[in-house]
């Protein structure tokens, strides 16, 4: 039994050395900027996120865990988002108005907000998302809370 453990440990060490050697090496060209500043590799914006767990869901109505919330927050934009210091800042909404009785909220959306296929983001998209989230057939755990006063 002890010999098997040592063999497994040795195999794990060899495998980790092999994998670390295959990381592609370090090229400093990605951190250097070109003289013209346009069209260079350094001007390309890239977001690299690494996580060892599988994303449970990218359905915003069904997401209840931190991992899926992190990915949704990194890939989708809502009416507002959290900015520096956790303060809300405009996302798709440029501004909003609230009626005197607090029952009617009017959001003014950015004209340049589009889906990845180029279709414009509309108020109907947000209405659909909220209606779907509160629909009992969707099974959203937050649906009942969203309907509460």
């Amino acid at each position: 039994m002890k010999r098997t453990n040592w063999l497994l440990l040795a195999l794990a060490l060899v495998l980790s050395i092999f994998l670390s050697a295959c990381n592609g090496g370090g090229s400093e060209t990605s951190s250097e900027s070109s003289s013209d500043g346009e069209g260079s590799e350094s001007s390309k914006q890239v977001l690299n996120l690494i996580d060892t767990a599988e994303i449970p869901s990218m359905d915003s109505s069904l997401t209840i865990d931190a991992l899926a919330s992190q990915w949704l927050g990194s890939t989708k934009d809502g009416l507002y988002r959290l900015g520096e210091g956790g303060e809300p800042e405009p996302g798709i909404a440029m501004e909003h108005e609230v009626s005197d009785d607090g029952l009617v909220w009017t959001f003014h959306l950015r004209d340049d907000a589009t889906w990845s296929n180029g279709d414009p983001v509309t108020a109907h998209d947000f209405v659909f998302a909220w209606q779907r989230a509160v629909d009992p057939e969707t099974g959203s755990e937050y649906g009942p809370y969203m309907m509460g006063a």
Side-chain angles (χ1 to χ4, degrees):
M1 186 73 169
K2 277 189 168 186
R3 185 173 183 191
T4 304
N5 288 342
W6 281 107
L7 287 174
L8 286 174
L9 179 62
L11 180 63
L13 287 172
V14 169
L15 183 61
S16 66
I17 290 171
F18 175 74
L19 290 175
S20 65
C22 293
N23 74 356
S27 172
E28 294 186 32
T29 58
S30 63
S31 63
E32 297 173 359
S33 62
S34 67
S35 59
D36 64 357
E38 291 186 28
S40 69
E41 187 68 24
S42 65
S43 66
K44 185 168 72 169
Q45 294 183 356
V46 177
L47 174 64
N48 293 312
L49 298 174
I50 298 173
D51 208 306
T52 57
E54 184 176 323
I55 303 169
S57 176
M58 287 295 284
D59 185 336
S60 59
S61 296
L62 301 177
T63 300
I64 60 169
D65 60 292
L67 178 62
S69 296
Q70 172 193 348
W71 283 99
L72 282 172
S74 298
T75 59
K76 298 183 182 213
D77 214 356
L79 291 171
Y80 287 87
R81 60 179 164 251
L82 293 180
E84 299 263 340
E87 295 296 319
E89 63 181 28
I92 301 293
M94 295 184 305
E95 59 185 30
H96 71 275
E97 300 163 5
V98 182
S99 65
D100 290 337
D101 60 5
L103 297 177
V104 177
W105 289 54
T106 304
F107 293 90
H108 301 277
L109 306 181
R110 290 189 346 238
D111 292 331
D112 64 343
T114 59
W115 292 100
S116 59
N117 66 358
D119 290 348
V121 175
T122 65
H124 175 73
D125 297 320
F126 287 96
V127 171
F128 170 80
W130 276 84
Q131 288 174 338
R132 184 174 176 275
V134 299
D135 185 350
E137 290 189 25
T138 302
S140 173
E141 290 192 34
Y142 294 117
Y145 299 108
M146 294 168 77
M147 288 302 294

